[in-house]
Amino acid sequence: MAEPILRTEALTKTYGERVVTHALKGIDLTLEAGEFCALTGPSGSGKTTLLNLVGLLDQATEGRILIQGRDTVPLGDDERTALRGRTLGFVFQFHHLLPAFSALENVMLPLLAQHGRPETWMREKAASLLDRVGLSDRALYKATDLSGGQQQRVAVARALVVDPPLVLADEPTGNLDQESGTQVLALLRAFNAEQGTAFL
């Protein structure tokens, strides 16, 4: 039986020394490959903290995170960065596009980070994903010249450009109007169904 794409065991995160705040306490979570899972809860309940830990952007206080069966606890910074780049895509509430770059260049960024220099196939792959999210006619527009919904669709394309088996989406529609938010969620669902990408 294949390993889950993600498993957390007794995951705990605390902040502070004199006054200790428990952001997460003993979280056990299993996400299978290709699963689409929505994590819900009130503001301040630890959803973003959990995604930051699973995304290897922060360190847990206690517990383990296994990605495709690999224990991430003993990994050094370089190993964590490499694993994150190969395995995880991110879509945030605020799209975090580079404003001076075009939509196409923003989508290419994870590939450039992995391979070090631009190549024709990277542009072709980024262009294909922009077409898939309905923005082929905006490929050369600067990020600042796109609407909020368009910028978030660029962020979705960027998250998927390295074919990650898992995408972490932190309130990806929270900053959008209802129509744009519905379009972004439909895109995530489509990529989940067609490519088997897991989403949390």
Side-chain angles (χ1 to χ4, degrees), residues 42-86:
S43 180
S45 61
K47 301 183 301 294
T48 295
T49 299
L50 178 61
L51 288 177
N52 285 342
L53 294 177
V54 168
L56 308 179
L57 300 171
D58 196 3
Q59 298 265 18
T61 307
E62 294 176 18
R64 295 201 308 161
I65 299 167
L66 294 95
I67 297 177
Q68 292 182 319
R70 185 174 185 186
D71 188 354
T72 63
V73 171
L75 301 182
D77 287 344
D78 289 346
E79 292 172 302
R80 290 167 65 86
T81 299
L83 182 61
R84 186 188 313 119
R86 286 192 314 272

Side-chain angles (χ1 to χ4, degrees), residues 87-104:
T87 314
L88 303 173
F90 296 89
V91 182
F92 299 100
Q93 180 176 356
F94 301 98
H95 42 75
H96 298 297
L97 301 181
L98 294 181
F101 284 32
S102 69
L104 184 72

Side-chain angles (χ1 to χ4, degrees), residues 158-188:
R158 180 185 59 192
L160 293 162
V161 76
V162 296
D163 299 314
L166 173 60
V167 171
L168 305 174
D170 189 3
E171 297 191 43
T173 63
N175 227 22
L176 304 176
D177 61 63
Q178 185 172 357
E179 182 180 354
S180 296
T182 299
Q183 290 174 350
V184 167
L185 269 181
L187 278 171
L188 301 184

Side-chain angles (χ1 to χ4, degrees), residues 133-147:
V133 301
L135 291 174
S136 57
D137 61 336
R138 298 288 192 272
L140 300 182
Y141 282 46
K142 293 281 188 276
T144 49
D145 294 328
L146 301 172
S147 71

